[in-house]
Amino acid sequence: MAAPGAALRPLSRAVLTASPALRVAPCRLHQSLLNRQSPSLSSASRSPLTSHTQTRHSSYHSPEPSSNTPNARKKVTMHTLRNLYKKGEPIAMITAHDFPSARAADESGMDMVLVGDSLGMVAMGLENTTEVIIEEMLLHCRSVARGAKHAFLVGDLPMGSYEISPAQAVASSLRFIKEGHVHGVKIEGGEELAPTIKRITQAGIPVVGHIGLTPQRQNALGGFRVQGKTSASAIQLLRDALALQDAGVFMLVFEAMPPEVAALITSKLTVPSIGIGAGNGCSGQVLVQVDMLGNFQPGRFIPKFVKKYADVWGEATRGIIQYREEVKSRAFPSPEYTYPISKEELAKFEKTVDEMYRK
C-alpha cells in the first residue's frame, strides 16, 4: 500500500544516487542537459562527468533500502496481514522511530512497523507519552517511512489529536497518511471510541485499536497497571474489543493483561490481536525496539514483558570509549582513514606556502 502522493513527489538527488536500480538516472539527466546546452559534445567528453556523479566522498547521505534487488520481499499489505491471520501465522510487529531503526526492522523481515508514541520516552527523553504532540509524531513517521519500504506502517495518534471530536480524529488521521506516509493509524481507548473509529475507517483509513493498559490514560488508570485482573474488568475488555471490531478496526493491540484473558478475547474476534505483555495466545506480538535491543542505560526501568535480545547500549558505549581513547592518543585517524595526495602535488603545495609566508 503506497503512501498517498508518493508518485507525485520529486525524487531527490540522494534517492537517485543511492538506489542501485536508479543510479543510471542522474547520468541520463546530465547527458540530456549537456545535449541541450552543447549538442557537439561527444560521449567521450561526457564520461568524466557521468562517472563523477556516481562517486561519493562523504558519509552524509541516507541510502534508500534496496527494494529492487532480486531477492527483495513483497510489500506487506492489508491483504497480506489478513492471510497471515487466516493461516494462523503470528504477525510480527516492532516499533521504530527513525530511519536507521526502520531500516533494521524492515530488513529483518518484520510484518508491521509501529511508529509508537513511546518514542517520546525512548527517543525524546520525555517522562511519558502524554507530552508527545502530533507534529513530532509526523516527523518521526516520515523518517520511518523512508527506511521501511516493505513492512506495513502504522502511526500512533498522540494524546490530544483525537479526543475532542470524531472530526478532529479524522483530520489527524488524514495528516498521518498524507504527511506521515504511514498506511494506518493506532488509537488508544475502549468502546467509548467506537464512533470515532467508525468515522476514521469511513474515511478510508485503516485503524488499529489499543485496549488494556493504555499509556496515554495512565493518570486515569492510576499508573501503568495491568488490566483485566478481575472478572468485571476482563468482561469490560471483551466489550471494548467487540465494540472496536464492530466500529471497523482491522487489528487490536492488547497491552498488559493476563494471557488467559487475552487468549479468550482473541478467540471471540474476527480480527487479529497483537499482544504486548498479554501472552502467547494473541495473533501476534509487538515490542518497543529500543527495549528489546537493550539500547538503554543500566538501571532504567523495563516492563516485565520485555525480553532483551541484544545489548546495543553496551556495544555502543564500548565503541565510543575506544574511539575517545584513540582520539586522545592520536591513534585515530590512521593513514587508511585519510585521503592521499601525490608527493609531487604535496611538494608544490609546501613550496607555495613557504613562499607565501616569506613575504
Side-chain angles (χ1 to χ4, degrees):
M1 184 175 176
L8 301 178
R9 292 193 298 274
L11 291 175
S12 67
R13 181 172 179 177
V15 172
L16 290 171
T17 55
S19 175
L22 296 174
R23 278 181 184 151
V24 68
C27 306
R28 291 174 180 166
L29 176 61
H30 280 293
Q31 289 177 3
S32 174
L33 292 173
L34 286 169
N35 287 338
R36 292 179 186 177
Q37 294 171 1
S38 180
S40 62
L41 283 173
S42 65
S43 300
S45 64
R46 290 195 298 264
S47 58
L49 176 60
T50 300
S51 61
H52 176 70
T53 60
Q54 299 182 46
T55 303
R56 283 190 178 273
H57 293 291
S58 172
S59 62
Y60 298 104
H61 64 100
S62 299
E64 285 293 310
S66 51
S67 56
N68 294 317
T69 56
N71 296 322
R73 65 189 178 111
K74 293 182 179 179
K75 174 71 180 174
V76 177
T77 65
M78 291 276 287
H79 182 68
T80 310
L81 298 173
R82 289 193 189 102
N83 283 341
L84 291 176
Y85 175 61
K86 289 178 182 177
K87 291 188 299 182
E89 180 178 335
I91 298 169
M93 179 194 285
I94 198 169
T95 69
H97 60 260
D98 58 13
F99 180 87
S101 60
R103 184 76 177 270
D106 203 51
E107 296 205 357
S108 298
M110 298 304 298
D111 301 312
M112 301 181 71
V113 170
L114 169 66
V115 188
D117 59 3
S118 57
L119 63 83
M121 294 178 286
V122 302
M124 299 171 62
L126 301 177
E127 288 296 320
N128 52 59
T129 64
T130 61
E131 300 179 53
V132 181
I133 60 176
I134 191 169
E135 285 75 18
E136 292 165 340
M137 287 300 303
L138 291 173
L139 171 63
H140 286 276
C141 283
R142 287 193 294 272
S143 299
V144 169
R146 296 184 193 108
K149 296 299 184 182
H150 303 96
F152 191 92
L153 304 182
V154 176
D156 252 339
L157 292 180
M159 185 178 188
S161 67
Y162 60 90
E163 296 92 341
I164 296 175
S165 68
Q168 181 206 25
V170 172
S172 297
S173 300
L174 287 171
R175 290 191 66 187
F176 268 70
I177 301 298
K178 293 172 68 64
E179 300 176 39
H181 311 314
V182 297
H183 308 129
V185 297
K186 183 171 76 65
I187 188 168
E188 295 185 13
E191 59 182 342
E192 74 282 356
L193 280 178
T196 296
I197 289 173
K198 187 173 183 179
R199 284 284 302 276
I200 298 173
T201 58
Q202 286 174 340
I205 300 172
V207 177
V208 176
H210 183 156
I211 63 173
L213 170 57
T214 47
Q216 293 178 12
R217 303 183 179 200
Q218 54 156 319
N219 294 324
L221 296 174
F224 294 94
R225 296 180 178 275
V226 177
Q227 304 296 301
K229 295 184 71 174
T230 67
S231 175
S233 61
I235 287 293
Q236 183 58 54
L237 290 177
L238 175 60
R239 290 195 183 107
D240 289 337
L242 293 174
L244 299 190
Q245 177 178 263
D246 291 343
V249 299
F250 77 94
M251 180 178 287
L252 281 161
V253 169
F254 292 172
E255 182 168 358
M257 62 180 71
E260 298 85 355
V261 172
L264 183 54
I265 295 175
T266 296
S267 70
K268 303 304 178 184
L269 298 175
T270 57
V271 296
S273 62
I274 303 296
I276 177 167
N280 209 17
C282 298
S283 311
Q285 300 293 325
V286 62
L287 280 178
V288 174
Q289 186 175 158
V290 168
D291 291 345
M292 56 85 66
L293 288 181
N295 193 9
F296 50 84
Q297 67 275 20
R300 191 191 116 187
F301 171 77
I302 298 299
K304 179 182 179 180
F305 55 74
V306 174
K307 179 177 179 179
K308 185 177 173 182
Y309 285 85
D311 183 22
V312 171
W313 178 275
E315 185 63 16
T317 53
R318 183 203 62 78
I320 294 171
I321 289 171
Q322 182 179 349
Y323 164 68
R324 183 200 67 203
E325 291 174 347
E326 291 190 4
V327 168
K328 296 291 186 179
S329 67
R330 295 192 181 275
F332 178 84
S334 50
E336 63 265 37
Y337 301 108
T338 60
Y339 299 105
I341 183 174
S342 68
K343 292 181 179 179
E344 293 79 7
E345 291 301 321
L346 179 57
K348 290 179 183 178
F349 173 62
E350 291 174 337
K351 181 180 179 181
T352 301
V353 172
D354 285 342
E355 291 173 351
M356 288 172 59
Y357 280 85
R358 274 200 296 265
K359 295 179 180 179

